[in-house]
Amino acid sequence: MDPLSPTPRTTIGRGRDRAVREREQLHALLADALVAHLGVLAGEHPHEHPVVLPVAFGVEAAGPDAGGTLYLHGSVAAGWLARALEHDVCLSVTELDGLVAGRSSFHHSMNYRSAVVIGRARLVTELAERERALELVVDHMIPGRWRTLRASTRKELAATAVLALGLAEASMKQRAGGPGDEAGDIAAGVWGGHIPVRRTAGEPVPDPDATGPVPADVVRRARQLGAPG
Amino acid sequence: MDPLSPTPRTTIGRGRDRAVREREQLHALLADALVAHLGVLAGEHPHEHPVVLPVAFGVEAAGPDAGGTLYLHGSVAAGWLARALEHDVCLSVTELDGLVAGRSSFHHSMNYRSAVVIGRARLVTELAERERALELVVDHMIPGRWRTLRASTRKELAATAVLALGLAEASMKQRAGGPGDEAGDIAAGVWGGHIPVRRTAGEPVPDPDATGPVPADVVRRARQLGAPG
């Protein structure tokens, strides 16, 4: 895969030592993350402002766009959708990996992996790409689930808008490990370290009216996310 | 506390049944969350676009602003800081609570609590409020930690910009439980349910050059986030 090649607006200024260059790491982060935050422009000039919304997503690493394609979906009635097509959007994905307890307040920090993608979203109109995108979004949540489900109805497809965002213009940062403290604070014997943090799943919870065993794909996903059993 | 009273730009359109009205629930979500996503305006009209960045934060429920005050900090050299003061910003906080395995792809969803705050950020210049804000940010990560640390140096304070964002204009949504499936899919005996998801901590990891026991506040925070022991 091509390395991450940020444009001026995705070039990392502060914290260049935390910049990640490998596109494979971007895709690994997107595979781990479950929620993205999408920034779209709202309001009218000169009173425009961003609106940031949490969204589910799916990724086609070898999608139609250079660097891969990220897919979002939403209700066709959602107000943000039309605005998202009129201006470039910014999609941010962050996985929190730890709390960094420095030896001073200044050196407190967090461990994380974070990606920022900027670009113009494209409304996906072709049926095959729309269905493939919805498959990617569902299987991003629970891998293998799509093929166990009935086909989408015409009505369901008509109610669902699908947006594609190319991953060409993307940057990524990460931080890991303990604090970068002042030598004086270390010499003074102050404690420093970090608390690892991760996402874990509990046991799948069947609906009251669900019958039969929990499907294998749901069990597998819960286990993969650390559910006991 | 006053209830959440969204303005037109924070009024929830789609999914009104998921809207939360109690300001106490907003503060409970902010207390649980560790990372917020801040949207600031970048680029020049007519090519402006949002940039969304992950940020740490602290909250003063009875702060100087109506509805409470959220504090952010950043390097004085960070490019986004100046822009954040020129236009309204949008801060979004999302806690993922579960993956919802519907009986059709259409009814797949996520369980979450999510808040959106819109407003003009204020640069905090007064020393006492700056120090209080940094205390709130550090103690948001690890409660009780601030009072165990040395005072910030003049140089550290000079390198750190603090922004305040009033919580007056805020909205919140949440979803919990299983899928809202079609009666036909339920009758057909298709399985439906959800996988609970939460954040958990591991044991605190001391730096190689840390001496002495792990401080009580760090141990307490790790336990509170579910670390074993």
Side-chain angles (χ1 to χ4, degrees), chain A residues 45-56:
Chain A
H45 183 71
H47 301 293
E48 65 269 56
H49 60 89
V51 169
V52 180
L53 300 169
V55 291

Side-chain angles (χ1 to χ4, degrees), chain B residues 169-180:
Chain B
E169 193 173 351
S171 62
M172 181 175 164
K173 288 174 83 170
Q174 68 178 356
R175 189 199 188 287

Side-chain angles (χ1 to χ4, degrees), chain B residues 1-105:
Chain B
M1 278 192 254
D2 288 342
L4 297 174
S5 307
T7 62
R9 61 185 184 172
T10 52
T11 292
I12 289 166
R14 301 285 310 166
R16 275 182 290 269
D17 53 321
R18 298 182 184 175
V20 174
R21 303 250 169 263
E22 298 77 26
R23 186 164 288 274
E24 289 79 3
Q25 292 206 46
L26 170 66
H27 282 283
L29 165 59
L30 294 175
D32 278 356
L34 288 161
V35 173
H37 283 84
L38 178 71
V40 300
L41 202 69
E44 300 302 327
H45 184 70
H47 301 294
E48 64 270 57
H49 61 88
V51 169
V52 180
L53 299 169
V55 290
F57 64 93
V59 177
E60 186 96 276
D65 302 284
T69 302
L70 186 146
Y71 290 106
L72 308 169
H73 71 317
S75 164
V76 290
W80 59 267
L81 262 163
R83 292 303 301 257
L85 297 167
E86 290 167 11
H87 289 265
D88 284 357
V89 299
C90 179
L91 182 126
S92 186
V93 172
T94 306
E95 286 289 284
L96 180 66
D97 293 328
L99 306 176
V100 181
R103 292 166 175 87
S104 61
S105 66

